[in-house]
Coordinates of all heavy atoms in Angstrom, one line a residue:
R281 N 6.6 -25.6 8.3 CA 7.0 -24.9 7.0 C 5.9 -25.2 5.9 O 5.6 -24.3 5.1 CB 8.3 -25.4 6.5 CG 9.5 -24.9 7.3 CD 10.8 -25.5 6.7 NE 12.0 -25.2 7.5 CZ 13.2 -25.7 7.2 NH1 13.3 -26.6 6.3 NH2 14.2 -25.3 8.0
R282 N 5.4 -26.4 5.9 CA 4.5 -26.8 4.8 C 3.2 -26.1 4.9 O 2.4 -26.0 3.9 CB 4.2 -28.3 4.9 CG 5.4 -29.2 4.6 CD 5.0 -30.7 4.6 NE 4.7 -31.1 6.0 CZ 3.7 -31.9 6.3 NH1 2.9 -32.4 5.4 NH2 3.5 -32.2 7.6
F283 N 2.9 -25.5 6.1 CA 1.5 -24.9 6.3 C 1.6 -23.4 6.4 O 0.6 -22.8 6.8 CB 0.9 -25.5 7.6 CG 0.8 -27.0 7.5 CD1 1.7 -27.8 8.2 CD2 -0.1 -27.6 6.7 CE1 1.6 -29.2 8.2 CE2 -0.2 -29.0 6.7 CZ 0.6 -29.8 7.4
L284 N 2.8 -22.8 6.2 CA 2.9 -21.4 6.3 C 3.4 -20.7 5.0 O 4.2 -21.4 4.3 CB 3.9 -21.0 7.5 CG 3.4 -21.5 8.9 CD1 4.6 -21.2 9.9 CD2 2.2 -20.7 9.3
P285 N 3.0 -19.5 4.8 CA 3.5 -18.8 3.6 C 4.9 -18.4 3.7 O 5.4 -18.3 4.9 CB 2.5 -17.6 3.5 CG 2.1 -17.4 4.9 CD 2.0 -18.7 5.5
P286 N 5.6 -18.0 2.6 CA 7.0 -17.7 2.7 C 7.3 -16.4 3.5 O 8.5 -16.2 3.8 CB 7.4 -17.6 1.3 CG 6.2 -17.4 0.5 CD 5.1 -18.1 1.3
D287 N 6.3 -15.6 3.7 CA 6.6 -14.3 4.5 C 6.5 -14.5 6.0 O 6.5 -13.6 6.7 CB 5.7 -13.2 4.0 CG 4.2 -13.5 4.0 OD1 3.8 -14.6 4.5 OD2 3.4 -12.7 3.5
I288 N 6.3 -15.8 6.4 CA 6.4 -16.1 7.9 C 7.4 -17.2 8.0 O 7.4 -18.2 7.3 CB 5.0 -16.6 8.4 CG1 4.0 -15.4 8.3 CG2 5.2 -17.0 9.9 CD1 2.6 -15.8 8.9
Q289 N 8.4 -17.0 8.9 CA 9.4 -18.1 9.2 C 9.5 -18.4 10.7 O 9.4 -17.5 11.5 CB 10.8 -17.5 8.7 CG 11.9 -18.5 9.0 CD 13.3 -17.9 8.7 OE1 13.4 -16.7 8.5 NE2 14.3 -18.7 8.6
I290 N 9.5 -19.7 11.0 CA 9.7 -20.2 12.3 C 11.2 -20.2 12.6 O 11.9 -21.0 12.0 CB 9.1 -21.5 12.6 CG1 7.6 -21.5 12.1 CG2 9.2 -21.9 14.0 CD1 6.8 -20.4 12.8
I291 N 11.7 -19.4 13.6 CA 13.1 -19.4 13.9 C 13.4 -20.6 14.8 O 14.4 -21.3 14.7 CB 13.4 -18.1 14.6 CG1 13.1 -16.9 13.6 CG2 14.9 -18.0 15.0 CD1 13.2 -15.5 14.3
R292 N 12.6 -20.7 15.9 CA 12.9 -21.7 16.9 C 11.7 -22.1 17.6 O 10.8 -21.3 17.8 CB 13.9 -21.1 17.9 CG 14.6 -22.1 18.9 CD 15.5 -21.3 19.8 NE 16.1 -22.2 20.8 CZ 16.6 -21.9 22.0 NH1 16.6 -20.6 22.3 NH2 17.1 -22.7 22.8
V293 N 11.6 -23.4 18.1 CA 10.5 -23.9 18.9 C 11.2 -24.4 20.2 O 12.1 -25.2 20.2 CB 9.7 -25.0 18.2 CG1 8.7 -25.5 19.2 CG2 9.1 -24.5 16.9
I294 N 10.7 -23.9 21.4 CA 11.3 -24.2 22.6 C 10.3 -24.8 23.6 O 9.2 -24.2 23.9 CB 11.9 -22.9 23.3 CG1 12.8 -22.2 22.3 CG2 12.7 -23.3 24.5 CD1 13.0 -20.8 22.7
P295 N 10.5 -26.0 24.2 CA 9.6 -26.5 25.2 C 9.8 -25.7 26.5 O 10.9 -25.5 26.9 CB 10.0 -28.0 25.4 CG 11.5 -28.0 24.9 CD 11.6 -26.9 23.9
V296 N 8.6 -25.3 27.0 CA 8.7 -24.4 28.2 C 7.7 -25.0 29.3 O 6.9 -25.9 29.0 CB 8.3 -22.9 27.9 CG1 9.4 -22.3 27.1 CG2 7.0 -22.8 27.2
T297 N 7.7 -24.4 30.5 CA 6.8 -24.9 31.5 C 5.4 -24.5 31.2 O 5.2 -23.5 30.5 CB 7.3 -24.3 32.9 OG1 7.3 -22.9 32.8 CG2 8.6 -24.8 33.3
S298 N 4.5 -25.2 31.8 CA 3.0 -25.0 31.5 C 2.5 -23.6 31.9 O 1.5 -23.2 31.4 CB 2.2 -26.1 32.2 OG 2.4 -26.0 33.6
D299 N 3.3 -22.9 32.8 CA 2.8 -21.6 33.2 C 3.5 -20.5 32.4 O 3.3 -19.3 32.7 CB 3.0 -21.4 34.7 CG 4.5 -21.5 35.1 OD1 5.4 -21.9 34.3 OD2 4.9 -21.1 36.2
F300 N 4.3 -20.8 31.4 CA 4.9 -19.8 30.6 C 3.9 -19.0 29.8 O 3.0 -19.6 29.3 CB 6.0 -20.4 29.7 CG 6.5 -19.3 28.7 CD1 7.6 -18.5 29.0 CD2 6.0 -19.2 27.4 CE1 8.1 -17.6 28.2 CE2 6.5 -18.2 26.5 CZ 7.5 -17.4 26.9
H301 N 4.0 -17.7 29.8 CA 3.1 -16.8 29.0 C 3.9 -15.8 28.2 O 4.6 -15.0 28.8 CB 2.1 -16.1 30.0 CG 0.9 -15.6 29.3 ND1 0.9 -14.5 28.5 CD2 -0.4 -16.0 29.3 CE1 -0.3 -14.3 28.0 NE2 -1.1 -15.2 28.5
A302 N 3.7 -15.9 26.9 CA 4.5 -15.1 26.0 C 4.3 -13.6 26.3 O 5.3 -12.8 26.2 CB 4.2 -15.4 24.6
R303 N 3.1 -13.2 26.6 CA 2.9 -11.7 26.9 C 3.2 -11.3 28.3 O 4.0 -10.4 28.5 CB 1.4 -11.4 26.6 CG 1.0 -10.0 26.8 CD -0.4 -9.7 26.6 NE -0.8 -8.3 26.9 CZ -2.0 -7.8 26.9 NH1 -3.0 -8.6 26.6 NH2 -2.3 -6.6 27.2
Y304 N 2.7 -12.0 29.3 CA 2.8 -11.5 30.7 C 4.2 -11.8 31.3 O 4.6 -11.1 32.2 CB 1.7 -12.2 31.5 CG 0.3 -11.8 31.1 CD1 -0.6 -12.7 30.8 CD2 0.0 -10.4 30.9 CE1 -1.9 -12.4 30.4 CE2 -1.3 -10.1 30.4 CZ -2.2 -11.0 30.2 OH -3.5 -10.7 29.8
D305 N 4.9 -12.7 30.7 CA 6.3 -13.0 31.3 C 7.4 -12.1 30.6 O 8.5 -12.1 31.1 CB 6.7 -14.5 31.1 CG 5.9 -15.4 32.0 OD1 5.5 -14.9 33.1 OD2 5.8 -16.6 31.7
A306 N 7.0 -11.4 29.5 CA 8.0 -10.6 28.9 C 8.4 -9.4 29.8 O 7.5 -8.8 30.4 CB 7.4 -10.0 27.6
M307 N 9.7 -9.1 29.8 CA 10.1 -8.0 30.7 C 10.6 -6.8 29.9 O 10.8 -5.7 30.4 CB 11.2 -8.4 31.7 CG 12.5 -8.8 31.0 SD 13.7 -9.3 32.3 CE 15.2 -9.3 31.3
E308 N 10.8 -7.0 28.6 CA 11.3 -5.9 27.7 C 11.0 -6.3 26.3 O 11.1 -7.4 25.9 CB 12.8 -5.7 28.0 CG 13.4 -4.5 27.3 CD 14.9 -4.3 27.7 OE1 15.7 -5.0 27.1 OE2 15.2 -3.5 28.6
R309 N 10.8 -5.2 25.5 CA 10.6 -5.4 24.0 C 11.5 -4.4 23.3 O 11.7 -3.3 23.8 CB 9.1 -5.2 23.7 CG 8.2 -6.2 24.2 CD 6.8 -5.8 24.2 NE 5.9 -6.9 24.6 CZ 5.6 -7.1 25.9 NH1 6.1 -6.4 26.9 NH2 4.8 -8.1 26.2
H310 N 12.0 -4.8 22.2 CA 13.0 -4.0 21.5 C 12.5 -3.8 20.1 O 12.2 -4.8 19.3 CB 14.4 -4.8 21.4 CG 15.5 -4.1 20.7 ND1 16.6 -4.7 20.4 CD2 15.6 -2.8 20.3 CE1 17.4 -3.8 19.7 NE2 16.8 -2.6 19.7
Y311 N 12.4 -2.5 19.7 CA 12.0 -2.2 18.3 C 13.1 -1.3 17.6 O 13.9 -0.6 18.3 CB 10.7 -1.3 18.3 CG 9.4 -2.1 18.6 CD1 8.9 -2.3 19.9 CD2 8.7 -2.5 17.5 CE1 7.7 -3.0 20.1 CE2 7.5 -3.2 17.7 CZ 7.0 -3.4 19.0 OH 5.8 -4.1 19.2
K312 N 13.0 -1.4 16.3 CA 13.9 -0.5 15.5 C 13.0 0.2 14.4 O 12.1 -0.5 13.8 CB 15.0 -1.2 14.8 CG 16.1 -1.6 15.8 CD 17.4 -2.1 15.1 CE 18.5 -2.4 16.1 NZ 19.7 -2.9 15.5
Y313 N 13.2 1.5 14.2 CA 12.5 2.2 13.1 C 13.5 2.7 12.1 O 14.5 3.3 12.5 CB 11.7 3.3 13.6 CG 10.7 3.9 12.6 CD1 9.4 3.4 12.5 CD2 11.2 4.7 11.6 CE1 8.6 3.8 11.5 CE2 10.3 5.2 10.6 CZ 9.0 4.7 10.5 OH 8.2 5.1 9.5
H314 N 13.3 2.3 10.8 CA 14.2 2.7 9.8 C 13.7 3.9 9.0 O 12.6 3.8 8.4 CB 14.4 1.5 8.8 CG 15.1 0.3 9.4 ND1 16.2 -0.2 8.9 CD2 14.7 -0.5 10.5 CE1 16.6 -1.3 9.7 NE2 15.7 -1.4 10.6
I315 N 14.4 5.0 9.0 CA 14.1 6.2 8.3 C 14.9 6.3 7.0 O 16.1 6.3 7.1 CB 14.3 7.4 9.2 CG1 13.5 7.4 10.5 CG2 14.0 8.7 8.4 CD1 13.8 8.5 11.4
A316 N 14.2 6.2 5.9 CA 15.0 6.3 4.6 C 15.3 7.8 4.3 O 14.4 8.6 4.4 CB 14.1 5.7 3.5
L317 N 16.5 8.0 3.9 CA 16.9 9.4 3.4 C 16.5 9.6 2.0 O 16.3 10.7 1.5 CB 18.4 9.6 3.6 CG 18.8 9.4 5.0 CD1 20.4 9.7 5.1 CD2 18.1 10.4 6.0
E318 N 16.3 8.5 1.2 CA 15.8 8.5 -0.1 C 15.0 7.3 -0.4 O 15.4 6.1 -0.1 CB 17.0 8.6 -1.1 CG 16.5 8.7 -2.6 CD 17.7 8.8 -3.5 OE1 18.8 9.0 -3.0 OE2 17.5 8.7 -4.7
E319 N 13.8 7.4 -1.0 CA 13.0 6.2 -1.2 C 13.4 5.6 -2.6 O 13.6 6.3 -3.6 CB 11.5 6.6 -1.3 CG 10.6 5.4 -1.4 CD 9.1 5.8 -1.4 OE1 8.8 6.8 -2.1 OE2 8.3 5.1 -0.7
T320 N 13.5 4.3 -2.6 CA 13.8 3.5 -3.8 C 12.7 2.4 -4.0 O 12.0 2.1 -3.0 CB 15.2 2.9 -3.8 OG1 15.2 1.8 -2.9 CG2 16.2 3.9 -3.3
P321 N 12.7 1.8 -5.1 CA 11.8 0.6 -5.3 C 12.1 -0.5 -4.3 O 11.2 -1.4 -4.1 CB 12.0 0.2 -6.8 CG 12.5 1.4 -7.4 CD 13.3 2.1 -6.4
F322 N 13.3 -0.5 -3.8 CA 13.8 -1.7 -3.0 C 13.6 -1.4 -1.5 O 13.7 -2.4 -0.7 CB 15.2 -2.0 -3.4 CG 15.4 -2.0 -4.9 CD1 16.1 -1.0 -5.5 CD2 14.9 -3.1 -5.6 CE1 16.2 -1.1 -6.9 CE2 15.0 -3.1 -7.0 CZ 15.7 -2.1 -7.6
N323 N 13.4 -0.2 -1.1 CA 13.3 0.0 0.4 C 11.9 0.5 0.8 O 11.6 0.7 2.0 CB 14.4 1.0 0.9 CG 14.1 2.4 0.4 OD1 13.1 2.8 -0.2 ND2 15.1 3.3 0.6
R324 N 11.0 0.7 -0.2 CA 9.7 1.3 0.1 C 8.8 0.5 1.0 O 8.0 1.1 1.7 CB 9.0 1.5 -1.2 CG 8.7 0.3 -2.0 CD 8.1 0.6 -3.4 NE 7.9 -0.7 -4.1 CZ 6.8 -1.5 -4.0 NH1 5.9 -1.1 -3.2 NH2 6.7 -2.6 -4.7
L325 N 9.0 -0.8 1.1 CA 8.2 -1.6 2.0 C 8.8 -1.8 3.4 O 8.2 -2.4 4.3 CB 7.9 -3.0 1.4 CG 7.2 -3.0 0.0 CD1 7.0 -4.4 -0.5 CD2 5.9 -2.3 0.1

């Protein structure tokens, strides 16, 4: 936390085996896209 800006948060740190690979072991990715029906100063980003 001391070394990261407030727009990055560490949720969890997990010890894994030495052959774990974050990219190649992933079997699925989930995205959401938010479509605004009206733009406001609070949702524009």
Side-chain angles (χ1 to χ4, degrees):
R281 288 177 184 171
R282 292 182 294 140
F283 304 104
L284 295 174
D287 53 7
I288 297 179
Q289 179 186 15
I290 307 304
I291 301 168
R292 191 181 179 203
V293 178
I294 310 164
V296 291
T297 57
S298 60
D299 61 348
F300 173 84
H301 198 286
R303 179 181 176 187
Y304 298 129
D305 286 338
M307 67 178 193
E308 189 175 78
R309 293 161 176 85
H310 181 194
Y311 282 90
K312 288 188 178 182
Y313 192 94
H314 295 239
I315 301 173
L317 300 180
E318 182 178 351
E319 188 179 43
T320 74
F322 312 106
N323 69 9
R324 62 189 176 83
L325 300 179

